[in-house]
Amino acid sequence: MNQSFHNLNSDKQKRIINAACKEFAENGFEKASTNQIVKNARIGKGMLFYYFKNKEELYHYLIDYCLNHTIEEYLQKIGTSEPDFIERLKQAARLKTEYHLNNPDMVKFLATLFLKDENEMPERFRKRYKEIMILANSKLYDNIDITLFRNDIDTEKAFKLIRWSIEGYQQELINQLKNQNLTTLNVDPYWDEFYEYLDVLKTSFYKEEGKK
């Protein structure tokens, strides 16, 4: 990759990255149009190949960039000091929702990558993919206090049911907010409703003393 890309101002870099993510997410690598990318990025037709040698180099750069961005701006921000599984997921859900709303094209691009069979990924990214899955798993489950759960509950099944419930609400929230102006929107009522659902989950799965 040409160092000139890194020398661009951040706004122009972001336009190119988002335009490329959107095109690859919607059409896949083979059918993605570099003409459409430069049009959406609002750059001259020849400039993309001044920054990147070819479409494959651009594609691989995007994978690297988006994986790093997701780790730094989402996964690493999830703390593991909270021992309450539902409270941990509350924190993660808020961070993930904000990340999705602020980076929709990157999220769609990575989603199309992760939904592929692992063997279809470029070989150099398979190890990184596994490392990220291990990190994401540790962020959810490390240091969780399972004694908060009722004794008659299968903890592993409870983990899955709680996670599915929270992820379902989170996706519904993302769908409701994705086309709105977040800088002026009061999102507190949405989170208040979310926290009410979490109280229901605690009532269902936790011992009485485990509810906060």
Side-chain angles (χ1 to χ4, degrees):
M1 183 189 61
N2 195 312
Q3 183 63 33
S4 296
F5 181 73
H6 281 305
N7 293 337
L8 292 173
N9 67 65
S10 59
D11 287 342
K12 192 169 185 178
Q13 281 189 31
K14 190 171 183 180
R15 284 206 317 270
I16 295 170
I17 288 168
N18 287 340
C21 284
K22 179 179 174 65
E23 182 64 16
F24 283 121
E26 291 179 354
N27 297 296
F29 175 75
E30 295 297 335
K31 295 182 180 179
S33 166
T34 54
N35 287 336
Q36 191 62 45
I37 291 172
V38 298
K39 179 180 178 181
N40 291 339
R42 306 193 303 278
I43 61 174
K45 191 170 183 178
M47 294 307 296
L48 189 65
F49 294 116
Y50 175 66
Y51 303 134
F52 300 94
K53 182 170 60 178
N54 52 39
K55 187 165 77 167
E56 183 178 34
E57 184 176 88
L58 170 62
Y59 184 69
H60 286 183
Y61 172 80
L62 286 179
I63 297 174
D64 257 332
Y65 178 88
C66 292
L67 290 177
N68 289 336
H69 196 267
T70 299
I71 291 170
E72 293 168 8
E73 299 301 323
Y74 166 51
L75 286 176
Q76 287 184 348
K77 291 184 177 181
I78 301 173
T80 56
S81 60
E82 172 55 70
D84 184 319
F85 184 61
I86 292 177
E87 291 297 321
R88 176 88 59 87
L89 284 186
K90 178 198 292 187
Q91 177 202 162
R94 189 148 193 163
L95 287 168
K96 186 176 181 181
T97 299
E98 291 171 355
Y99 187 78
H100 275 235
L101 293 171
N102 290 326
N103 306 280
D105 295 317
M106 283 197 286
V107 169
K108 289 175 187 174
F109 173 69
L110 284 181
T112 61
L113 185 71
F114 289 167
L115 288 174
K116 289 181 180 180
D117 184 287
E118 186 183 322
N119 292 325
E120 292 181 37
M121 284 186 192
E123 186 174 356
R124 59 182 284 236
F125 296 110
R126 290 178 199 166
K127 182 179 179 181
R128 289 205 65 209
Y129 171 77
K130 289 179 181 178
E131 290 171 349
I132 288 171
M133 292 300 99
I134 292 170
L135 174 61
N137 211 49
S138 71
K139 288 292 186 175
L140 289 185
Y141 298 108
D142 282 2
N143 306 318
I144 293 298
D145 183 2
I146 62 173
T147 66
L148 295 173
F149 288 88
R150 286 169 26 202
N151 294 331
D152 59 341
I153 291 288
D154 183 319
T155 308
E156 292 302 317
K157 287 185 172 63
F159 280 153
K160 289 183 179 180
L161 288 169
I162 292 167
R163 199 180 73 241
W164 292 339
S165 298
I166 289 176
E167 288 175 354
Y169 182 85
Q170 172 186 282
Q171 190 56 53
E172 183 178 306
L173 183 59
I174 289 169
N175 290 337
Q176 288 181 43
L177 299 181
K178 63 183 178 182
N179 294 320
Q180 300 192 46
N181 184 350
L182 300 181
T183 60
T184 58
L185 180 69
N186 179 15
V187 297
D188 288 343
Y190 296 96
W191 289 114
D192 288 343
E193 181 183 42
F194 175 59
Y195 297 151
E196 289 173 6
Y197 285 125
L198 295 186
D199 286 339
V200 172
L201 290 175
K202 287 191 176 187
T203 299
S204 301
F205 293 105
Y206 281 8
K207 298 171 185 173
E208 192 67 30
E209 63 270 21
K211 291 180 286 185
K212 294 181 180 180

